[in-house]
Amino acid sequence: MSPNPEKKLEKTLVDINYLLKEAPREKHFITGAQAMAEAVKRASVDMAIAYPITPQSEVMHLVGDIYAQGHIKEYYRAEEELGTMSAIAGAARAGVRLFTATSGPGLLRGLEAIVSWPGHRVPAVLGILTRVINAPLSIQPDNIEMAYMMHCGAVMLHAENQQDTFDFTLAAFAIAEKVDVYIPVAVATEGFFVTHAKGYVEMTPEDMALNEFDPVAAPVPAMDNETPPARIQRDAPVQKSNFMSYLIHAVWQQEIWDSNKRAMKYIYEYLGGPIEVKNPESEVFLIASGCAAAQAREAWRYAQEAGLSVGLIKVRAIRPFPIDEIRDAVKNAKSIIVPEHNIIGWLCKEVKAAIPNGGIVTEGPRVYGGMTLPVELIMKEIHNSLGLEYDLKL
Amino acid sequence: MSLKYITPAERFKKYLPKDYVELVDYGPFGKTQEEAGPGNMGQFKELVEEHPMCSGCWMAYYIRLIFASLPNPEDTVTLGTAGCGRLAISQAAVPFIYGNYGDQNAMASGLTRAFRLRFPDKTKDVITIAGDGGTMDIGFSMTMHSWIRGEKFTTIMLDNEVYGNTGGQSSGMSPQGAILKMAPKGKDFGKMPATELARAAGCVYTVRMSPTNIKKAAKIIRRAIFVAREVGPTFIHAYTSCNIEYSIPTHEVFADAKAQEKDRFTFEEYMTDEAKEVIERVEAEEKAARMARKAQKTEAVN
Ligand code: SF4
């Protein structure tokens, strides 16, 4: 396919604050995949590179459609995920706004390139529509791949539903491109449960889009031979003496993780903060992210109806992880329950590490590889924590 | 011309390293091939002057040649991968992007397309320069697909028939029977037919050569770049021996290259009709410009 700048549509360009907070919105009943693509449509994306995998494909099909309609200037299907993620890294050097998405095994296949993005200062947005990766292979929802993404330096947001998917994806472009951040932002949400299910999404007008990408406003200039100062070599490997090599790598990595931390203020600005807290005075807290947060929210609602003292913390930002915010929110808690959609319990480990008294954390309930997370399992843990009997009927 | 991006402000010049200032004043930027091409090597500030490769490495010689032959160094970006060649390429005074193992052609796909979006009226040359391992083994799928997609950039394979940088393992391009690390009983399959694969995958201009003739090598490099700009993917498969792993004494490196030229690396050039048109046009234009300059000079003398 060839670039189609001739199809450029007339749009009103606005800044992200206006787009997220003030622009008029209209309610639509759409899938999570549609919500992500609709956000891409409004983000003045220059280029999107696609490779299929279930359940992500839907997103990149829709992104392809909006390219054909002229909302995006360039789009193509790459050879496989490593090629896709490498091409994103190449295109980023030319100074354009980029989007791609993947799922489970695809994420792992592209991981070598993806984990080099932060170090290469690639401000791209990556959609992660989660699914099973471990054998036996299955195409069911599960978010274990997020655990592999947590250690590369990328900012990671975890959307609970279709509305989050829309808002987080839009905000992701703005966060990634901040001069003091300038690293990739991943927006994850559960495959099928969110991507293939419909929900209400309040959307901004189609003819209103985010200000265009400004490659000059970057901590590292694009390698376009246009922008002084000259940048002859970009992040080539460090292979001088061992000491120099260590030092340069270490300093660069520290800067990447500092950039990651600096994203937090924009998560406050655009998304109202990295966590959402309900009933802050409670003794028992549910802490969850993504789809598990939706199930936890349902359990929390049952608990309210039953008059139980239960609070809910939804985690929006996985990286930077809201350590201070969670520690503060649970300082009076007696027990914490962390429902998750994966076998290893990566969120649980993060929560335990964030608080001084990790012993109060109940691991799970967890489901992995396909099932939805029954609210009853969460209710059982709530009752256990409160020393109450619960008759579990699934 | 984007040469401006390396031109220092006059007042700042005296604080810059001498090497840098010399590059701006005496480098090949904005100059013709007669002034600063391979024919005049040693008489202008070259884009690659120092490199940490083995003494007498034939690959290092060819890399130096590539950079002296660039038609538009001020608007050229190179991409590479792990390997010996990268050690020199990354020290050239032309932007170099180093990605992950073997992904240079995938990165170049994104880069070339994005350049065309941002600079539709400008020529930006994109060249991937990688070894046989990076191009034909680990990067095989990405190399092939960039050609199949018709991406408009030049791929140069520095074929030293071995993994030099990791210590001499056999590659898909090592000759059959070669006893190398990881082929302890001798490599049991033949050399991959790189130029045939390139043609089958849609390269519009391919060359296999042992670059012993400087002028010819420069002409080929320029042809590949000119054609890639307008028509489609181009590929140069160059023999650049590894004198360390194949135990070629330094003073015999050239003789070896000559011998290979008669044997496994006989000169082979392929071009589509469209590519041929571009080559004929560009070379006629260059010739006309040369003649005009000559005439001007004679006039000035008279
Ligand atoms: S190992 Fe071989 S290819 Fe590598 S620099 Fe030395 S001689 Fe050249």
Side-chain angles (χ1 to χ4, degrees):
Chain A
M1 273 177 262
S2 56
N4 61 349
E6 75 278 1
K7 273 200 137 179
K8 207 167 181 314
L9 305 171
E10 284 302 314
K11 290 195 188 191
T12 310
L13 299 180
V14 295
D15 77 12
I16 190 68
N17 267 307
Y18 181 82
L19 196 55
L20 278 177
K21 297 174 191 167
E22 291 167 45
R25 294 208 178 207
E26 214 176 75
K27 202 177 202 174
H28 296 263
F29 189 58
I30 56 174
T31 65
Q34 283 175 307
M36 190 168 265
E38 290 294 330
V40 170
K41 187 191 271 180
R42 289 155 176 81
S44 305
V45 168
D46 291 303
M47 191 165 165
I49 306 175
Y51 187 73
I53 185 168
T54 302
Q56 166 267 101
S57 297
E58 192 82 4
V59 171
M60 294 314 286
H61 295 170
L62 294 164
V63 169
D65 290 345
I66 65 176
Y67 156 77
Q69 290 156 16
H71 298 276
I72 296 178
K73 296 183 198 127
E74 174 70 300
Y75 170 94
Y76 73 98
R77 192 236 351 114
E79 53 272 55
E80 34 76 23
E81 285 89 351
L82 185 56
T84 308
M85 304 309 169
S86 297
I88 290 277
R93 305 312 210 286
V96 296
R97 185 176 285 155
L98 294 152
F99 176 79
T100 189
T102 190
S103 287
L107 181 106
L108 260 61
R109 195 170 167 82
L111 202 60
E112 184 196 357
I114 296 170
V115 299
S116 73
W117 288 357
H120 290 320
R121 311 307 295 254
V122 170
V125 172
L126 172 71
I128 303 178
L129 298 319
T130 68
R131 75 167 258 197
V132 155
I133 51 179
N134 294 351
L137 194 60
S138 151
I139 57 158
Q140 300 300 325
D142 178 307
N143 59 31
I144 200 165
E145 77 253 50
M146 290 179 67
Y148 295 83
M149 267 297 289
M150 281 158 60
H151 309 292
C152 69
V155 171
M156 288 173 70
L157 307 173
H158 199 180
E160 174 188 347
N161 50 33
Q162 292 79 3
Q163 182 71 56
D164 275 1
T165 305
F166 178 82
D167 292 334
F168 289 12
T169 306
L170 259 183
F173 288 99
I175 296 169
E177 291 164 20
K178 292 289 172 205
V179 177
D180 56 345
V181 178
Y182 224 76
I183 50 175
V185 177
V187 178
T189 195
E190 274 68 11
F192 302 109
F193 293 151
V194 178
T195 59
H196 288 51
K198 285 190 176 183
Y200 285 109
V201 181
E202 302 265 358
M203 289 202 293
T204 55
E206 220 184 50
D207 57 0
M208 187 180 283
L210 187 59
N211 283 328
E212 304 244 341
F213 184 63
D214 178 5
V216 178
V220 288
M223 292 190 93
D224 55 9
N225 304 22
E226 302 278 337
T227 324
R231 191 162 166 77
I232 298 296
Q233 195 184 335
R234 179 132 165 194
D235 22 278
V238 179
Q239 284 175 1
K240 301 292 175 192
S241 71
N242 282 347
F243 177 71
M244 281 304 286
S245 163
Y246 169 76
L247 200 67
I248 296 169
H249 182 82
V251 168
W252 196 251
Q253 280 296 303
Q254 282 172 29
E255 169 58 12
I256 296 308
W257 284 99
D258 282 346
S259 304
N260 188 297
K261 280 198 193 128
R262 292 193 291 261
M264 190 59 106
K265 59 179 173 290
Y266 302 112
I267 291 168
Y268 272 101
E269 188 177 346
Y270 304 138
L271 302 174
I275 60 173
E276 171 198 338
V277 185
K278 299 264 191 214
N279 294 12
E281 302 308 322
S282 309
E283 290 189 355
V284 175
F285 270 99
L286 298 169
I287 303 186
S289 68
C291 215
Q295 298 301 95
R297 193 182 295 281
E298 199 57 7
W300 173 77
R301 196 174 60 82
Y302 284 176
Q304 301 311 297
E305 281 173 8
L308 305 174
S309 168
V310 175
L312 170 71
I313 298 174
K314 163 178 154 176
V315 183
R316 297 189 184 106
I318 306 302
R319 286 288 180 270
F321 195 68
I323 296 173
D324 297 338
E325 288 81 355
I326 288 180
R327 194 181 294 168
D328 188 56
V330 299
K331 61 181 182 295
N332 299 319
K334 299 236 161 27
S335 70
I336 294 171
I337 299 159
V338 188
E340 282 186 75
H341 268 287
N342 66 79
I343 192 167
I344 58 163
W346 51 258
L347 182 62
C348 179
K349 290 185 173 72
E350 295 280 317
V351 170
K352 273 189 179 175
I355 60 174
N357 48 343
I360 66 168
V361 176
T362 300
E363 299 208 6
R366 292 177 198 155
V367 292
Y368 16 92
M371 232 169 68
T372 183
L373 176 56
V375 173
E376 289 78 1
L377 289 180
I378 307 175
M379 290 307 290
K380 181 168 182 291
E381 297 299 346
I382 291 173
H383 282 77
N384 276 352
S385 295
L386 293 166
L388 304 169
E389 285 289 312
Y390 184 72
D391 185 14
L392 178 65
K393 286 194 195 83
L394 286 176
Chain B
M1 180 162 53
S2 43
L3 177 57
K4 225 173 120 191
Y5 90 112
I6 62 154
T7 310
E10 209 45 52
R11 285 164 67 190
F12 189 51
K13 221 170 165 178
K14 65 173 182 255
Y15 302 108
L16 280 173
K18 208 162 181 291
D19 243 20
Y20 186 97
V21 177
E22 282 180 351
L23 189 66
V24 177
D25 290 343
Y26 311 113
F29 298 115
K31 297 205 174 77
T32 64
Q33 277 282 290
E34 293 146 80
E35 295 162 328
N40 279 341
M41 270 164 132
Q43 297 174 51
F44 59 95
K45 178 79 177 173
E46 286 178 50
L47 296 172
V48 197
E49 284 195 329
E50 289 175 21
H51 64 78
M53 297 172 77
C54 300
S55 155
C57 175
W58 191 240
M59 187 187 279
Y61 146 85
Y62 183 63
I63 288 170
R64 191 176 159 209
L65 204 57
I66 295 174
F67 282 96
S69 311
L70 296 177
N72 192 15
E74 54 271 36
D75 261 317
T76 300
V77 178
T78 57
L79 301 98
T81 189
C84 298
R86 187 259 308 152
L87 296 169
I89 301 163
S90 63
Q91 299 196 8
V94 163
F96 170 66
I97 300 172
Y98 181 92
N100 294 296
Y101 298 96
D103 74 352
Q104 65 283 344
N105 277 38
M107 280 202 306
S109 305
L111 182 76
T112 309
R113 288 176 186 239
F115 272 161
R116 276 165 210 265
L117 282 185
R118 278 196 66 211
F119 308 103
D121 305 322
K122 265 190 185 174
T123 301
K124 299 265 176 197
D125 292 327
V126 173
I127 307 168
T128 66
I129 311 171
D132 40 318
T135 308
M136 282 289 138
D137 287 353
I138 191 169
F140 184 69
S141 147
M142 290 179 268
T143 302
M144 290 298 286
H145 277 267
S146 71
W147 294 341
I148 291 165
R149 281 194 306 267
E151 305 285 358
K152 290 179 170 169
F153 62 83
T154 299
T155 303
I156 300 180
M157 176 162 71
L158 310 170
D159 183 12
N160 60 356
E161 309 194 291
V162 74
Y163 287 81
N165 208 232
T166 41
Q169 297 81 14
S170 73
S171 86
M173 298 303 297
S174 301
Q176 188 156 20
I179 295 178
L180 293 158
K181 287 157 201 153
M182 299 188 187
K185 292 179 166 184
K187 189 185 170 216
D188 57 9
F189 61 97
K191 215 171 152 65
M192 292 168 74
T195 48
E196 282 168 49
L197 289 167
R199 283 195 292 275
C203 280
V204 293
Y205 178 78
T206 70
V207 168
R208 184 192 60 212
M209 71 186 308
S210 176
T212 56
N213 178 330
I214 291 187
K215 270 198 170 161
K216 190 168 169 186
K219 190 163 97 179
I220 297 308
I221 292 160
R222 294 167 70 78
R223 281 183 170 183
I225 294 170
F226 289 131
V227 171
R229 279 182 192 171
E230 294 183 45
V231 192
T234 60
F235 175 55
I236 300 174
H237 173 192
Y239 175 69
T240 57
S241 69
C242 173
N243 45 333
I244 296 298
E245 295 303 336
Y246 279 93
S247 289
I248 309 167
T250 304
H251 64 276
E252 281 173 28
V253 163
F254 183 71
D256 167 71
K258 271 272 186 212
Q260 298 296 350
E261 197 172 18
K262 290 204 185 80
D263 183 20
R264 298 181 303 123
F265 285 86
T266 46
F267 184 73
E268 170 203 283
E269 187 183 38
Y270 158 85
M271 61 187 86
T272 61
D273 292 342
E274 240 183 321
K276 194 172 176 196
E277 254 171 57
V278 172
I279 290 170
E280 284 173 355
R281 192 192 69 227
V282 173
E283 289 180 357
E285 280 167 10
E286 282 189 328
K287 194 173 170 193
R290 251 193 333 264
M291 301 299 273
R293 277 195 301 272
K294 219 175 174 181
Q296 232 174 14
K297 249 190 217 164
T298 336
E299 214 168 274
V301 172
N302 296 336

